[in-house]
Amino acid sequence: MDELKQHWKGGPVVLKRQKSIAKDGYTILTEGGKSTITASTDAGLMYGAFHLLRLQQMGADVDHLNISEKPAYDLRILNHWDNPNGTVERGFAGRSIFLNPDAQRLLIYARANASVGINGTVLNNVNAKPEALSTESLQKAKYIADLLRPYGIHVYLSVNFASPIKLGGLATADPLDKSVVAWWKKKVAEIYQLIPDFGGFLVKANSEGEPGPCDFGRTHADGANMLADVLKKHGGIVMWRAFVYNPQSSDRAKQAYEEFMPLDGQFRSNVIIQIKNGPVDFQPREPYSPLFTSMQKTPMMVEFQITQEYLGAANHLVFLAPMWQEFFDYVKPGQVKAMAGVANIGDDTNWCGHHFAQANWYAFGRLAWNPTLKSETIADEWLRQTFTNDNRMVKPMTKVMTESREAAVNYMMPLGLHHIFAGGHHYGPEPWYAPAGVRRDWTPPYYHRADAEGLGFDRTSKGTNAVEQYPQPLSTQLNDIATCPEIFLTWFHHVPWTYKMRSGRTFWDELCHKYDQGVQEARQFLATWDAMQPYVDKQRFDEVQHKLRIQARDAVWWRDACLLYFQTFSQLPIPADMEHPVHNLDEMKKYSIRITMYENPPYGYTK
Amino acid sequence: MDELKQHWKGGPVVLKRQKSIAKDGYTILTEGGKSTITASTDAGLMYGAFHLLRLQQMGADVDHLNISEKPAYDLRILNHWDNPNGTVERGFAGRSIFLNPDAQRLLIYARANASVGINGTVLNNVNAKPEALSTESLQKAKYIADLLRPYGIHVYLSVNFASPIKLGGLATADPLDKSVVAWWKKKVAEIYQLIPDFGGFLVKANSEGEPGPCDFGRTHADGANMLADVLKKHGGIVMWRAFVYNPQSSDRAKQAYEEFMPLDGQFRSNVIIQIKNGPVDFQPREPYSPLFTSMQKTPMMVEFQITQEYLGAANHLVFLAPMWQEFFDYVKPGQVKAMAGVANIGDDTNWCGHHFAQANWYAFGRLAWNPTLKSETIADEWLRQTFTNDNRMVKPMTKVMTESREAAVNYMMPLGLHHIFAGGHHYGPEPWYAPAGVRRDWTPPYYHRADAEGLGFDRTSKGTNAVEQYPQPLSTQLNDIATCPEIFLTWFHHVPWTYKMRSGRTFWDELCHKYDQGVQEARQFLATWDAMQPYVDKQRFDEVQHKLRIQARDAVWWRDACLLYFQTFSQLPIPADMEHPVHNLDEMKKYSIRITMYENPPYGYTK
């Protein structure tokens, strides 16, 4: 195997086939200077080889190995939100690597994915253009698929449900219409002609303006099943997204459940419902989506977001493994069938915009293979392979990485706050954003509900009763402010400003301290990194330092904007024993970053 | 007396004349509900009355008083750097109050000055235009003098030494030329015709491009004496400034001494040499000007700067009494004959731009009366009279005020650093500013001398030997890095980066900690002020809070710019146990505030 030939520095390695080993699984046995990798498939052997190389790169003992591995999920897939024009939605690392596919670069991409066990990739945005299925696009997909195939990676496409109309010229896209079915059959046949191992479709339907079966009086199940039937004979699957909400809903957090639960049991076996980890939208912290514990008869997969749409884009160091692990604290890994991750990859030289954002790509792959891996372990692995095996760097930076997500929650949205981002982007704070005419559920006050009494969205039995969607005893626990975990407090409760927290502080004081704690943590990350200079090359040291400085300044911006704004409701003083806001609310209200959803936010001193 | 009639709420007050009491002095005796103020002059009685009112306003016991006061100096004078067009040089509080003199406002100005014992005012900028002596200008000066006279305040003018040429049409301004003397005699007579109690002239000559006797081959003494002779018969004086330096000097800090010491003993008795407190120029911290301890036969007065040209303008809360007290730790009050203060007054509603800047006007007057007053006492007096007698406000804010100057030194120029301000203004940092073609002594590197070895200006016997201008044993103490006070370390020494400080830290680490300490102090001032909300009216609370937020942000700007720049020389890491810079040097280098010397610097979030 090329990877071993070029990179393995140890003794001889024998590759062995054995049918009894699970798909993609492998064993490694090393004795007397000789290693044997055993697997049932080429992919399994490859994953075993990468395992050896990982250990070698980490400076681990590779003389006495007795390893047996198999992935938790058969499908470990990236979702690229790449558009045909090369922009990447919520992409902060340049333009699409698939716009003008470069064979050399895609080879690196394939190896990187394979090295962490990723075996599928959706090449285009879930907000799919009909042109994604044009013959020209499919030729390009074939070119990419051919490059990725040797690394065990299958190609998938997002499809626009109205493609039969917009691309095919039909009068309808009704999934029960025969001409529509015929069109899809023909299109799918065309695809498999080009890409015999094509994986299937990802569909965002009847969500945020995208077309779907409901436009024709049909259900999500009708739409998904029609595509599933067409794909089935080729071995393809349909990943049907459950990310739906509309302005009429009493509570956006409840809608996916309300819309999909009635359909449980109606989907074909080659349909998987792809559900975001939380019920709203990739917030810094959400409780898990209750569909995961309620749907019993439908295969589900969890969609995580690797790209940091809501977590500081490519400017903030936020290691996401702890967030994904938190999900698995509530949802047993076996309750889902697959893992999807919205990629953070672009054509930037460093792939992900922020050097440490690569760790999230890495962590996604590792957790899709084994969701019980600890964040510390993944961070340690990644640091050793990426920077150095020197513990003077690995130990402190592992700490930074594992603490970074909680810090981001603290300086952005502690204690259950969510979606209080600026209008126009999801980078900075704008909890006051609520211009006339904008859908309420697209404005922060819909989520934080600040008023003179308190803060938070009452989702208890006295409010929208979203708690009811969770199983007992969790539902009762969440419903009671005294037993609800404080990390979800304002998610489920409208909390009085003077409510007594477990710390002994009032809720207002606790909120202030959490925000300030986030600021202090962000500064500490910077100070820790500054001490890493001896262990890191100059370019990466400088670039990461620059980003951490941005993060520390942004943390202050978040703290000040949120506290000063919420203070207009609480009318309570900022506690004396913390650092006080240094900005003025009226000035902050005038400030805006004018960026599209395809750009990493700038932060210059002069901005 | 009107002031008592309108404001005194106690028992009857009797005013008594008694010749034996020193000029402007007074006694107050209160017994059995009756007070007696005794003085030799109207002014003395007035100062006594203001003393009573001050005690009343401070909530002091006014039932049993036995007070005897006399001022340390006969001349307690403000220098306004006001230009004929209404701009105020280094003025941060609007335009000149003398441009279109408003009788109501000047009455308040007069009372404010009289209440703290100020008895003289120079109406115009030391960079004087010849037009300052035009008949039109003199008419305006007469109008102002008439308004101020009832409050014991004498009017003075800055004069342009070339006035005989530029205003009089003569061919020369040579002080030994008879036509020149005749011109001055006539002009002075005209002045005294209008203002019989006119105080005299303030002269900036042969300094920063201003004309002077040296232009005609004469000495400062020749020039000063000529004017003194002309003024003498009218009772006027000449205040002749010793602020001189030129690009040829080996050390700007030495030049005033070198130029003026040889003239000691040559000045008329009605000439006073006006010397800035430090040898360079009103820096956040300077050692005292050595002229004060060396000139023996010439009357001297100290010029302090009340306006915060180098101390955060009207944006930073910096109480200057501790700085002026520090001067008197080295120069005995009796070594000088008078005190001048460069005013911080403009036509802003709050007079001084920053509410707390008024405290510096107040402190100047109080210290000119009694230079041994403690800063804490003055701050306490001012807070009680300005805000409240509530100790919950007075105590913490007295602490803030008395610590504020040291904090400013820490975040701007600790350990003897000086004059590392931005090109074009004296507000922000620009230690790297050194464009081609600019006089070296107008650039920060001239002062800080950073290089790979260390930081600081070697003024020891091995350097420019400026230490020699100080008397023994101080001179020897300053000359030795081991005995030089650390607050003056880089003023006198080129300090190796790894020099061991008394704290046990290296010089570099100490420098870093001092800068960061300033940042933490500025933030603490803000937090303290935020807790004052219950004791302060909303407008002043908000305005001061806004300024303190600016100050806290500026402190970070100072710390980061200076440390990151000096780090390019020291090549040493920022210590781990402090907050690390959050800005990037390259970005900071691009940043500039484009302001003139007549504006308070803006600081918006969007700048």
Side-chain angles (χ1 to χ4, degrees):
Chain A
M1 187 178 296
D2 267 8
E3 294 294 333
L4 288 175
K5 271 189 205 139
Q6 291 181 29
H7 304 293
W8 178 246
K9 293 166 189 144
V13 181
V14 176
L15 303 180
K16 228 175 89 182
R17 295 284 194 153
Q18 188 178 309
K19 289 239 162 123
S20 63
I21 292 180
K23 180 166 180 277
D24 292 351
Y26 55 88
T27 62
I28 305 174
L29 199 67
T30 303
E31 274 177 335
K34 194 185 97 173
S35 299
T36 306
I37 305 176
T38 311
S40 65
T41 61
D42 283 352
L45 293 173
M46 176 186 68
Y47 294 135
F50 275 120
H51 194 141
L52 269 187
L53 292 172
R54 174 161 66 239
L55 293 176
Q56 170 180 275
Q57 184 73 6
M58 290 170 62
D61 172 15
V62 289
D63 294 337
H64 305 282
L65 299 175
N66 189 350
I67 292 165
S68 178
E69 284 275 346
K70 64 171 182 172
Y73 305 117
D74 283 348
L75 180 55
R76 308 171 296 276
I77 187 169
L78 289 182
N79 290 185
H80 287 268
W81 286 358
D82 293 15
N83 295 317
N85 65 0
T87 56
V88 180
E89 184 169 330
R90 312 304 177 182
F92 311 111
R95 290 166 67 77
S96 171
I97 57 171
F98 303 129
L99 178 62
N100 300 301
D102 174 77
Q104 283 299 100
R105 194 160 169 95
L106 284 183
L107 182 65
I108 302 171
Y109 167 80
R111 293 175 60 221
N113 279 322
S115 74
V116 291
I118 291 167
N119 69 349
T121 184
V122 183
L123 300 181
N124 62 321
N125 194 347
V126 289
N127 294 316
K129 305 283 181 215
E131 294 72 31
L133 294 176
S134 71
T135 300
E136 188 192 343
S137 295
L138 296 179
Q139 291 287 356
K140 190 192 277 189
K142 172 195 161 45
Y143 176 75
I144 295 166
D146 289 344
L147 287 167
L148 304 185
R149 187 172 297 109
Y151 289 87
I153 300 166
H154 294 258
V155 154
Y156 298 73
L157 289 173
S158 295
V159 297
N160 184 301
F161 201 78
S163 296
I165 301 172
K166 295 184 188 163
L167 190 68
L170 302 191
T172 180
D174 180 349
L176 303 194
D177 183 282
K178 281 181 183 165
S179 65
V180 169
V181 177
W183 186 88
W184 282 109
K185 277 187 177 160
K186 198 173 155 208
K187 181 52 71 179
V188 166
E190 181 188 354
I191 295 171
Y192 278 92
Q193 186 76 27
L194 294 165
I195 310 169
D197 56 353
F198 179 72
F201 291 149
L202 172 61
V203 190
K204 174 178 181 177
N206 293 118
S207 167
E208 296 184 320
E210 296 298 332
C214 309
D215 301 342
F216 310 96
R218 312 301 180 189
T219 68
H220 285 287
D222 293 332
N225 291 342
M226 178 276 286
L227 291 174
D229 290 342
V230 170
L231 285 160
K232 191 170 180 76
K233 75 162 185 174
H234 302 284
I237 63 167
V238 172
M239 296 168 287
W240 192 271
R241 289 173 101 233
F243 177 65
V244 292
Y245 64 102
N246 69 46
Q248 284 74 46
S249 176
S250 66
D251 182 354
R252 172 172 168 181
K254 289 167 65 182
Q255 190 168 345
Y257 186 100
E258 289 171 340
E259 225 168 301
F260 277 83
M261 272 308 292
L263 303 174
D264 190 18
Q266 296 183 25
F267 293 97
R268 298 286 187 271
S269 62
N270 64 331
V271 173
I272 310 184
I273 303 301
Q274 181 168 319
I275 307 164
K276 293 187 182 187
N277 58 293
V280 169
D281 187 14
F282 297 138
Q283 294 305 295
R285 169 165 277 138
E286 297 194 31
Y288 75 91
S289 168
L291 276 171
F292 287 111
T293 43
S294 292
M295 280 195 124
Q296 300 297 333
K297 304 171 218 157
T298 306
M300 292 176 288
M301 61 193 290
V302 59
E303 177 180 325
F304 291 128
Q305 193 178 40
I306 306 171
T307 191
Q308 292 166 239
E309 173 179 354
Y310 294 101
L311 281 149
N315 289 342
H316 294 200
L317 189 169
V318 183
F319 182 52
L320 299 175
M323 181 161 87
W324 301 333
Q325 284 197 306
E326 188 173 290
F327 171 82
F328 287 115
D329 288 343
Y330 288 87
V331 178
K332 288 194 177 61
Q335 286 174 276
V336 298
K337 298 290 172 224
M339 250 172 79
V342 181
N344 61 351
I345 295 162
D347 69 355
D348 277 6
T349 305
N350 73 2
W351 292 91
C352 302
H354 192 309
H355 289 290
F356 276 77
Q358 288 183 10
N360 291 326
W361 178 7
Y362 182 88
F364 170 77
R366 296 290 288 137
L367 285 172
W369 185 277
N370 179 3
T372 69
L373 278 178
K374 288 197 190 317
S375 299
E376 292 77 2
T377 307
I378 301 170
D380 178 276
E381 281 182 5
W382 180 81
L383 285 164
R384 289 178 188 282
Q385 293 173 83
T386 308
F387 288 103
T388 175
N389 275 307
D390 192 323
N391 279 329
R392 288 170 297 181
M393 198 268 186
V394 173
K395 297 291 174 192
M397 287 312 296
T398 295
K399 186 162 187 290
V400 165
M401 289 175 74
T402 51
E403 292 175 354
S404 60
R405 184 265 185 152
E406 198 64 35
V409 169
N410 284 337
Y411 64 68
M412 296 170 92
M413 288 173 232
L415 300 174
L417 287 173
H418 51 290
H419 231 318
I420 56 176
F421 291 94
H425 59 82
H426 293 155
Y427 184 70
E430 200 170 344
W432 52 83
Y433 175 76
V438 171
R439 272 172 64 163
R440 261 201 91 217
D441 59 342
W442 284 356
T443 71
Y446 175 88
Y447 300 96
H448 65 64
R449 311 267 165 140
D451 60 21
E453 273 70 50
L455 182 69
F457 195 139
D458 185 354
R459 292 185 166 115
T460 69
S461 52
K462 289 178 178 155
T464 66
N465 207 19
V467 293
E468 197 189 37
Q469 297 181 343
Y470 291 89
Q472 289 297 3
L474 180 60
S475 177
T476 296
Q477 185 196 351
L478 297 175
N479 191 51
D480 183 349
I481 192 170
T483 54
C484 180
E486 289 188 346
I487 57 172
F488 298 129
L489 207 60
T490 66
W491 186 285
F492 289 111
H493 296 271
H494 190 66
V495 187
W497 295 114
T498 54
Y499 176 75
K500 187 67 79 70
M501 301 290 283
R502 270 154 230 168
S503 65
R505 294 192 182 112
T506 64
F507 169 71
W508 165 251
D509 281 5
E510 184 83 357
L511 185 73
C512 291
H513 274 95
K514 284 283 179 195
Y515 269 110
D516 192 52
Q517 187 184 336
V519 169
Q520 307 305 332
E521 287 165 328
R523 289 191 188 135
Q524 187 50 54
F525 298 162
L526 170 62
T528 302
W529 179 255
D530 282 352
M532 298 301 112
Q533 193 158 15
Y535 317 114
V536 184
D537 58 278
K538 175 162 170 48
Q539 186 185 350
R540 286 193 295 177
F541 177 78
D542 287 348
E543 287 172 358
V544 171
Q545 182 189 57
H546 190 147
K547 299 273 188 184
L548 284 166
R549 287 170 173 173
I550 291 173
Q551 184 170 2
R553 283 180 279 161
D554 283 350
V556 174
W557 179 33
W558 269 99
R559 178 196 66 191
D560 289 6
C562 295
L563 290 185
L564 293 174
Y565 169 70
F566 291 137
Q567 193 180 32
T568 66
F569 297 95
S570 81
Q571 295 290 323
L572 291 169
I574 310 280
D577 59 345
M578 60 169 270
E579 193 178 302
H580 279 222
V582 295
H583 297 104
N584 299 297
L585 185 57
D586 54 345
E587 288 170 2
M588 301 192 90
K589 282 187 169 179
K590 284 181 213 144
Y591 185 76
S592 73
I593 306 178
R594 292 175 204 292
I595 47 170
T596 66
M597 65 173 85
Y598 314 114
E599 291 169 90
N600 193 45
Y603 196 127
Y605 190 73
T606 56
K607 175 84 187 177
Chain B
M1 187 177 297
D2 267 8
E3 293 294 333
L4 287 175
K5 273 190 204 136
Q6 291 181 29
H7 304 292
W8 177 246
K9 292 167 187 143
V13 181
V14 176
L15 304 180
K16 230 176 88 182
R17 294 283 192 151
Q18 189 178 309
K19 289 239 161 120
S20 63
I21 292 180
K23 181 167 179 274
D24 292 351
Y26 55 88
T27 63
I28 305 174
L29 198 68
T30 303
E31 274 176 335
K34 195 185 94 174
S35 299
T36 305
I37 306 176
T38 310
S40 64
T41 62
D42 282 353
L45 293 172
M46 177 186 68
Y47 294 135
F50 275 118
H51 194 141
L52 269 186
L53 292 171
R54 175 162 65 239
L55 293 176
Q56 170 181 276
Q57 184 72 7
M58 290 170 61
D61 173 15
V62 289
D63 294 337
H64 305 281
L65 299 174
N66 188 352
I67 291 166
S68 179
E69 283 276 347
K70 63 171 182 173
Y73 305 117
D74 283 348
L75 180 55
R76 308 171 295 276
I77 187 169
L78 290 182
N79 289 185
H80 287 267
W81 285 358
D82 293 15
N83 295 317
N85 66 359
T87 57
V88 180
E89 183 169 331
R90 312 303 178 182
F92 312 111
R95 291 165 65 77
S96 171
I97 57 171
F98 303 129
L99 178 62
N100 301 301
D102 174 78
Q104 284 299 102
R105 194 160 168 94
L106 284 183
L107 182 64
I108 301 170
Y109 167 80
R111 293 174 60 221
N113 278 322
S115 75
V116 291
I118 292 168
N119 69 348
T121 184
V122 182
L123 301 181
N124 63 319
N125 194 347
V126 289
N127 294 317
K129 305 283 181 215
E131 295 71 32
L133 294 176
S134 72
T135 300
E136 189 193 342
S137 295
L138 295 179
Q139 290 287 356
K140 190 194 274 189
K142 171 194 160 46
Y143 175 77
I144 296 165
D146 289 345
L147 286 167
L148 304 184
R149 188 172 296 110
Y151 289 87
I153 299 166
H154 293 258
V155 154
Y156 298 72
L157 290 172
S158 295
V159 296
N160 184 302
F161 200 80
S163 296
I165 301 171
K166 295 187 187 160
L167 191 67
L170 302 190
T172 180
D174 180 349
L176 303 193
D177 183 283
K178 280 179 186 169
S179 66
V180 169
V181 177
W183 186 89
W184 280 109
K185 276 188 177 162
K186 199 174 155 209
K187 181 52 71 180
V188 165
E190 181 188 354
I191 295 173
Y192 278 92
Q193 186 75 26
L194 294 164
I195 311 169
D197 57 352
F198 179 74
F201 291 150
L202 172 61
V203 190
K204 174 177 180 177
N206 294 117
S207 166
E208 295 186 320
E210 296 297 333
C214 310
D215 302 342
F216 309 96
R218 313 300 178 187
T219 68
H220 286 287
D222 293 331
N225 290 342
M226 178 275 288
L227 291 174
D229 289 342
V230 170
L231 285 159
K232 191 170 180 75
K233 75 162 186 174
H234 302 284
I237 63 167
V238 172
M239 296 168 288
W240 192 271
R241 290 174 98 233
F243 178 65
V244 292
Y245 64 102
N246 70 45
Q248 284 74 45
S249 176
S250 66
D251 181 355
R252 172 171 167 181
K254 288 167 65 180
Q255 190 168 346
Y257 186 99
E258 289 171 340
E259 224 167 302
F260 278 83
M261 272 308 291
L263 303 174
D264 191 18
Q266 297 184 22
F267 292 97
R268 299 285 185 272
S269 63
N270 63 331
V271 172
I272 311 184
I273 303 301
Q274 180 168 320
I275 307 164
K276 293 187 182 187
N277 57 292
V280 169
D281 188 13
F282 297 139
Q283 295 305 295
R285 169 166 277 138
E286 298 194 29
Y288 75 91
S289 169
L291 276 172
F292 287 112
T293 43
S294 292
M295 281 195 123
Q296 300 297 331
K297 303 172 217 157
T298 306
M300 293 177 287
M301 61 193 291
V302 59
E303 178 180 325
F304 291 129
Q305 193 177 41
I306 306 170
T307 190
Q308 292 166 239
E309 174 179 355
Y310 294 101
L311 280 149
N315 289 343
H316 293 200
L317 189 169
V318 183
F319 182 51
L320 299 175
M323 180 160 87
W324 302 332
Q325 283 197 306
E326 189 173 291
F327 171 81
F328 287 117
D329 288 345
Y330 287 87
V331 178
K332 288 196 178 60
Q335 287 173 273
V336 297
K337 298 292 172 219
M339 248 173 81
V342 181
N344 61 350
I345 296 161
D347 68 357
D348 277 6
T349 306
N350 73 3
W351 291 93
C352 302
H354 193 308
H355 289 290
F356 276 77
Q358 288 183 9
N360 291 326
W361 179 7
Y362 181 88
F364 170 76
R366 296 290 288 137
L367 286 172
W369 185 277
N370 180 3
T372 68
L373 278 177
K374 288 197 189 317
S375 299
E376 292 77 3
T377 308
I378 301 170
D380 178 277
E381 281 182 5
W382 180 81
L383 285 164
R384 290 177 188 281
Q385 294 173 82
T386 307
F387 288 103
T388 175
N389 274 307
D390 192 322
N391 277 330
R392 289 171 296 181
M393 198 269 186
V394 173
K395 297 291 175 193
M397 287 311 297
T398 296
K399 186 163 187 292
V400 165
M401 289 173 74
T402 51
E403 292 175 355
S404 60
R405 184 265 185 154
E406 198 64 34
V409 169
N410 284 337
Y411 65 68
M412 296 169 92
M413 288 172 234
L415 301 174
L417 288 173
H418 51 292
H419 231 318
I420 57 175
F421 291 95
H425 59 82
H426 293 154
Y427 184 69
E430 201 172 342
W432 51 84
Y433 174 77
V438 170
R439 272 172 63 164
R440 263 201 90 217
D441 58 343
W442 284 355
T443 71
Y446 175 88
Y447 300 97
H448 65 63
R449 311 268 166 140
D451 60 22
E453 273 71 48
L455 182 69
F457 195 139
D458 186 353
R459 293 186 167 115
T460 69
S461 52
K462 289 179 179 155
T464 67
N465 207 19
V467 294
E468 196 189 34
Q469 297 181 342
Y470 291 89
Q472 289 298 0
L474 180 60
S475 177
T476 297
Q477 186 196 349
L478 297 175
N479 192 51
D480 184 349
I481 193 169
T483 54
C484 179
E486 289 188 346
I487 57 172
F488 298 129
L489 207 60
T490 67
W491 186 284
F492 289 110
H493 296 270
H494 191 65
V495 187
W497 295 114
T498 54
Y499 176 75
K500 187 66 81 69
M501 301 290 282
R502 268 153 232 169
S503 65
R505 294 191 182 113
T506 63
F507 169 71
W508 166 250
D509 281 6
E510 184 83 357
L511 185 74
C512 292
H513 273 95
K514 284 284 177 195
Y515 269 110
D516 193 52
Q517 187 184 336
V519 169
Q520 307 305 332
E521 287 165 328
R523 288 190 188 136
Q524 187 51 53
F525 298 161
L526 170 62
T528 302
W529 179 255
D530 281 352
M532 298 300 112
Q533 192 158 17
Y535 317 114
V536 184
D537 57 278
K538 176 163 170 47
Q539 186 185 349
R540 286 192 295 178
F541 176 79
D542 287 349
E543 287 172 359
V544 171
Q545 182 188 57
H546 190 146
K547 299 273 188 183
L548 284 166
R549 287 171 173 173
I550 292 173
Q551 184 170 2
R553 283 180 278 160
D554 283 349
V556 174
W557 180 33
W558 269 100
R559 177 195 66 191
D560 289 7
C562 295
L563 289 185
L564 293 174
Y565 170 70
F566 291 136
Q567 193 179 32
T568 65
F569 297 95
S570 82
Q571 295 289 326
L572 290 169
I574 309 281
D577 59 344
M578 60 167 272
E579 194 179 304
H580 280 222
V582 294
H583 297 104
N584 299 297
L585 186 58
D586 55 345
E587 288 171 4
M588 302 192 89
K589 282 187 169 179
K590 285 181 212 143
Y591 184 76
S592 72
I593 307 178
R594 292 176 204 292
I595 48 171
T596 66
M597 65 173 82
Y598 314 115
E599 292 169 271
N600 191 46
Y603 196 125
Y605 189 74
T606 56
K607 176 81 188 179

